[in-house]
Amino acid sequence: MKRLSLMAMLLLLPLGEALAQPGLNIVTAAPTAGGGQEYTVSLQILLLMTLMSLLPSMLIMLTSFTRIIIVLALLRQALGTAQTPSTQILIGLSFFLTLFVMAPVFTQVYQEAVKPYVDEQISGEEAWNKAEKPFRGFMLEQTRENDLEMFARMAGYEELDSPESVPFTALIPAFVTSELKTAFQIGFLVMIPFLIIDLVVASILMSMGMVMLSPLIISLPFKIMLFVLVDGWGLIMGTLATSFMV
């Protein structure tokens, strides 16, 4: 967390200096020795602020957050505890577990892209290309080949040399689709023990003629007791973390 905070502070340092200038030439570009163009600091700040507004979507779409939050939501539904744990707690758990899973990727991005760019060793375009590679590698490892081929074919990229050459516009929806499939598969396995408890309790109540009594009222303490006895939270968190290690 300290490294992420430092990275955010370093990225926002030029903002105060740029805002202090009386006139901001946002679209000014200067030619470089290699024949390219280097944009002004003010335009880089504009792009940075636009990128920061997309951070929530990037967190959901490019990381492990989607799989984790869906599994935890299905777990809460299987337990039948209504709003316990609350949605805020589930999001907080998902966020920090996402930081744990994505720590190697974030570290690589910081060391290879953010730090050299802040030290003015590489250009913004080079930093973007270097930051893309760790995320691309992580997403390709978690994406099913049939999903990747489907979106690549729909985008018109049928003749690709390797999965690494798939553009981000096709990789992102393929990754999200694969994450949804994996999350529901894990959620199905998590819900089976609780479903068995519900069926057993419902059968016992019907055999006793207690038809008007809801089985959920009786099965809820047994499901909570089972979940606590088997260290359910540890198993769920460990399974979710290890599911990304291929």
Side-chain angles (χ1 to χ4, degrees):
M1 291 298 297
K2 184 181 295 184
R3 178 175 293 178
L4 292 176
S5 302
L6 177 61
M7 181 175 63
M9 292 174 61
L10 290 174
L11 289 174
L12 293 176
L13 279 178
L15 181 60
E17 298 179 2
L19 293 177
Q21 297 177 1
L24 294 178
N25 298 320
I26 297 215
V27 294
T28 301
T32 60
Q37 286 184 334
E38 179 69 20
Y39 297 103
T40 57
V41 175
S42 55
L43 182 55
Q44 293 175 1
I45 294 174
L46 177 63
L47 294 176
L48 176 62
M49 300 305 293
T50 303
L51 182 62
M52 291 185 64
S53 66
L54 298 176
L55 281 179
S57 299
M58 294 174 63
L59 173 66
I60 295 174
M61 296 292 103
L62 305 182
T63 65
S64 58
F65 185 86
T66 300
R67 182 189 305 185
I68 296 172
I69 189 62
I70 290 177
V71 172
L72 293 181
L74 291 175
L75 171 64
R76 183 176 65 179
Q77 185 175 356
L79 283 171
T81 54
Q83 295 299 318
T84 305
S86 65
T87 303
Q88 291 82 356
I89 294 177
L90 292 185
I91 293 177
L93 286 173
S94 302
F95 176 73
F96 285 103
L97 189 56
T98 298
L99 291 181
F100 173 78
V101 173
M102 301 296 297
V105 177
F106 292 152
T107 301
Q108 186 178 356
V109 171
Y110 175 79
Q111 293 178 350
E112 297 182 0
V114 177
K115 191 175 184 301
Y117 176 71
V118 173
D119 295 339
E120 298 183 355
Q121 297 176 357
I122 59 176
S123 64
E125 184 177 357
E126 291 177 311
W128 176 266
N129 293 333
K130 289 181 178 294
E132 177 186 335
K133 291 182 180 179
F135 281 99
R136 177 182 290 274
F138 171 80
M139 296 166 67
L140 285 173
E141 290 178 351
Q142 308 300 326
T143 304
R144 292 175 171 83
E145 291 185 5
N146 55 346
D147 293 330
L148 192 61
E149 292 175 356
M150 178 183 67
F151 282 98
R153 184 172 59 255
M154 288 191 298
Y157 302 100
E158 298 182 359
E159 299 180 358
L160 295 173
D161 299 333
S162 62
E164 288 75 12
S165 59
V166 177
F168 243 54
T169 53
L171 177 58
I172 293 176
F175 170 73
V176 175
T177 303
S178 295
E179 286 295 282
L180 291 174
K181 292 180 181 179
T182 305
F184 276 95
Q185 288 176 352
I186 299 176
F188 171 76
L189 297 176
V190 169
M191 295 180 73
I192 287 179
F194 304 109
L195 177 61
I196 294 175
I197 294 177
D198 287 333
L199 291 175
V200 171
V201 172
S203 300
I204 295 175
L205 291 178
M206 290 186 64
S207 64
M208 296 175 61
M210 305 174 67
V211 183
M212 301 302 294
L213 181 61
S214 175
L216 296 178
I217 300 177
I218 307 299
S219 63
L220 179 59
F222 292 98
K223 290 191 289 187
I224 294 178
M225 180 182 65
L226 173 65
F227 192 69
V228 172
L229 289 177
V230 300
D231 190 19
W233 287 113
L235 290 175
I236 291 295
M237 295 300 178
T239 301
L240 286 173
T242 55
S243 66
F244 293 95
M245 301 177 183
V246 295

